[in-house]
Amino acid sequence: MRILLLCMLLLLAPEFTRAAEEGLIDITAPATRKLQLAIAPTTALSGPAAPELGRELAELLEFDLALAGLFELSAAAGDGAGADLLVKSGYAVDGSALTVECRLFDQVLNRELTAKRYTGGIKDLRRMGHTFADEVLRTLTGQKGPFTGKLAYVTKRSGNKEIFVMDYDGHNPQRVTNNGSINLNPDYAPSGKEIIYTSYKKGNPDLYRRELFTGLEARISSRPGLNAMGAFAPDGGRIAAVLTKDGNSEIYLISKEGKELARLTNNPAIEVSPAWSPDGGKLVFVSDRLGKPQLFVMDADGSNLRRLTTSGAYNVTPRWSPRGDRIVYARQTGGAFQIHAINADGSQDSQLTSAGSNEHPRWSPDGRFIVFSSTRDGAEAIYLMRADGSAQTRISRSKISDSHPTWAPNW
Amino acid sequence: MIRRSRSRYPGPEGMFALSFLFHLAVFLIIAKSQLLPAFHPEETPVTYVDMVTLPVASPQSGSPAPAAEAAPTPPTAAPPATMTLPQSKTPPKPQAKPQAKAQEPSASGAKPAKPAAAPDDGREFSERMARLERLAEERRQGEVLERLKNKGGRVGMPGANGTEAGSDYSSYLQSRLKDAFSQVVASQTKSPQVIASITVGPDGRIAEYRVEKNSGDPLFDDAVARAVTIAGRSLQPPPGGAQFKRVFRFRPEGVGVR
């Protein structure tokens, strides 16, 4: 009886679906457009007026939301007439304390979409602004923005290659290492509270893990030879790293305390630059086992190896998108590197940059942006762009060499 | 005894199944008669049938000899079956023969006048027939149109007072929504689509907007809501002073179009 009923339902289902679809009236529109967003001038809510604070907040919101690529910012008329969305903000200064209120209105539906109040010190103004920009994206798209995440990067501003962190827009640089040696390849833990990096401070390129809030640090791998290119797994408990302890550059899996868990590659060729898929089930890495450096994908236990890139003679530094669909990497073309992105199945390889030499691409935690280093303006500097290669923007504010950026998931 | 009574009572599952089957049958009957146009592919509009089955000729119009006498007869009284009357006097055979004869003189060059007489008669008869049939047809079409006009009272939607949208309110609403949607469409996914039912009240305002299936892309869902709001600002009331409800599918152009 049950089988009979099931069969009847299965037979009738397409009829019902077709009948339902035939009753639909299609409303279509040409290619999607950007939302018109107006940012009203920031006003003083109470207390003394501080126009420079209001200006800075409005400029910050404008920069963040323009970069998002969803909006067309219109002239900030006070009432936002003609715009789809309107952002209003105000501040109140009391001594060194600062309160900021931000609201997002839907002008068409005539309703307030979100409203937030932030309290802190005046020094926290930019953080408050970035937090609200994140909130605007969360409200409109369902996914929080990446603007509060900080960038860790390598800079030569003190003469040596040291690791710094800064806001994603280049403000508030802060020193992380100060050992006068060479420090490379920072990578954030999924929590955003600690990083791993390679340092020559004790002579050998060893792998270190450092808590950013406390400054506590541990040398987690000091095996003979190279201990480099560590990449935190999405679970935060494992690290894929390149070790040459056995005489050849191979990819290993180690715990965050440094204990060796597995050797993932075993080949006479050079294997470097491991990067995790967002689900932690796969790794993409670089190998020259076929003669030239190319990207390969394997399961997290080293099995099911397959070649990803089939074009280009020198493909390096891959990173898997947080959304899992794309892999970004650098390809050497005509003496310079350019950023490319390719689908995780090896299709749709597209070049994203063309000016200067561009390397070390990393995704923003939401997958909307790619941060990278470029020599297009002379010295190596940090830039970012949208995932489709548009809106390439310089982030570095110093004229000293900045490179190896990586975007924190949270802060 | 207990076993017998249990065997007759099919139990809760059986009762549920029987109930389900009964309801399914009722639903299918209703659906077949009202909801599922796919089950009636042969159904065609009544007006179309009426127009194509117009009578095409009166018996008198095809009679070549007593044309003057045939005129007083009202065309509506003539049964369509008598259309074949002319063919009895001028069978197809004579038409074929004169044509064959007409070719012979042109080849030999002798006595062209006599053989030409027969084809002229046939052609003249045919032309006259066609003219008369055309006139009869025009006359009858005019009569049918007049009858239809009288039956409907006046042209337009029943109960309309002149301030409503045109006769096809679905198309009108679709047009207004499309215009509004073009102004606000935005998305962050590749092929979003929203299915929503829209009810327009008697006053021309959106009485209800209900999303039946969202796109999973909040940006697109909001764009559709904005489009409905914009379109709802300037809608004409539905005809007949009644509510008007339809289900619409919103999507960017070219996405999933079959």
Side-chain angles (χ1 to χ4, degrees), chain B:
Chain B
M1 292 294 283
I2 294 170
R3 278 183 186 170
R4 273 184 195 168
S5 64
R6 274 185 183 169
S7 65
R8 283 175 188 167
Y9 177 62
E13 287 183 0
M15 288 302 288
F16 174 77
L18 286 170
S19 170
F20 177 80
L21 278 174
F22 176 75
H23 282 88
L24 185 66
V26 171
F27 175 76
L28 280 176
I29 290 166
I30 295 170
K32 196 169 181 180
S33 61
Q34 292 180 4
L35 299 177
L36 301 178
F39 289 160
H40 308 279
E42 73 282 358
E43 194 172 289
T44 48
V46 173
T47 50
Y48 175 75
V49 174
D50 201 10
M51 293 301 286
V52 296
T53 54
L54 286 170
V56 292
S58 69
Q60 286 77 13
S61 67
S63 178
E69 293 172 15
T73 311
T76 47
T82 54
M83 275 175 59
T84 54
L85 271 177
Q87 291 174 2
S88 63
K89 279 196 170 182
T90 56
K93 204 175 173 183
Q95 279 189 356
K97 269 190 175 176
Q99 279 172 8
K101 284 180 181 175
Q103 287 171 2
E104 285 171 14
S106 65
S108 63
K111 295 183 180 179
K114 246 190 175 181
D120 279 351
D121 286 347
R123 198 179 301 119
E124 194 180 334
F125 172 74
S126 301
E127 285 171 359
R128 206 184 315 147
M129 270 291 294
R131 197 165 52 246
L132 289 170
E133 284 178 358
R134 196 165 57 245
L135 285 172
E137 188 172 348
E138 285 171 1
R139 194 164 58 240
R140 286 175 195 283
Q141 282 186 353
E143 286 170 3
V144 169
L145 285 174
E146 191 61 33
R147 239 186 357 255
L148 287 172
K149 279 183 185 177
N150 293 336
K151 194 193 267 185
R154 61 191 176 109
V155 178
M157 291 299 290
N161 59 20
T163 61
E164 300 88 345
S167 58
D168 189 351
Y169 196 75
S170 289
S171 298
Y172 165 73
L173 191 55
Q174 183 184 25
S175 165
R176 298 277 66 78
L177 286 169
K178 194 167 183 176
D179 285 350
F181 192 41
S182 297
Q183 295 173 40
V184 295
V185 58
S187 74
Q188 56 177 348
T189 49
K190 282 182 182 171
S191 54
Q193 72 172 27
V194 165
I195 296 173
S197 69
I198 297 171
T199 306
V200 182
D203 57 356
R205 295 187 181 190
I206 303 289
E208 187 187 23
Y209 165 63
R210 196 175 71 189
V211 176
E212 308 287 352
K213 186 181 173 190
N214 67 27
S215 66
D217 176 354
L219 210 60
F220 188 75
D221 294 349
D222 286 349
V224 172
R226 286 189 197 100
V228 173
T229 303
I230 290 172
R233 287 172 184 163
S234 56
L235 285 179
Q236 293 290 330
Q243 278 198 341
F244 185 89
K245 183 178 181 180
R246 285 290 184 279
V247 182
F248 295 87
R249 173 167 51 193
F250 295 82
R251 56 188 178 182
E253 223 155 66
V255 177
V257 175
R258 285 171 293 179

Side-chain angles (χ1 to χ4, degrees), chain A residues 265 275-277 281-287 289 294-300 302-309 318 320 327 342-346:
Chain A
T265 58
W276 294 85
S277 65
K282 287 184 167 57
L283 283 157
V284 58
F285 65 100
V286 177
S287 173
R289 62 182 65 196
Q294 294 289 345
L295 306 190
F296 289 80
V297 174
M298 63 181 171
D299 288 352
S303 63
N304 289 330
L305 184 84
R306 66 178 171 88
R307 182 175 173 176
L308 183 72
T309 52
W320 214 306
I327 291 169
I342 188 171
N343 280 350
D345 61 3

Side-chain angles (χ1 to χ4, degrees), chain A residues 129-188:
Chain A
H130 289 313
T131 305
F132 186 69
D134 280 355
E135 177 66 15
V136 169
L137 290 195
R138 191 197 63 73
T139 302
L140 296 173
T141 69
Q143 188 182 18
K144 185 182 171 226
F147 305 124
T148 45
K150 296 215 171 194
L151 302 182
Y153 62 105
V154 175
T155 181
K156 277 181 160 179
R157 66 172 59 197
S158 60
N160 303 304
K161 287 197 168 184
E162 301 284 1
I163 292 175
F164 275 58
V165 295
M166 63 180 176
D167 292 352
Y168 98 94
D169 57 1
H171 286 263
N172 300 325
Q174 295 170 301
R175 179 188 289 272
V176 175
T177 64
N178 190 15
N179 52 43
S181 179
I182 297 173
N183 303 280
L184 296 168
N185 300 318
D187 188 64
Y188 275 101

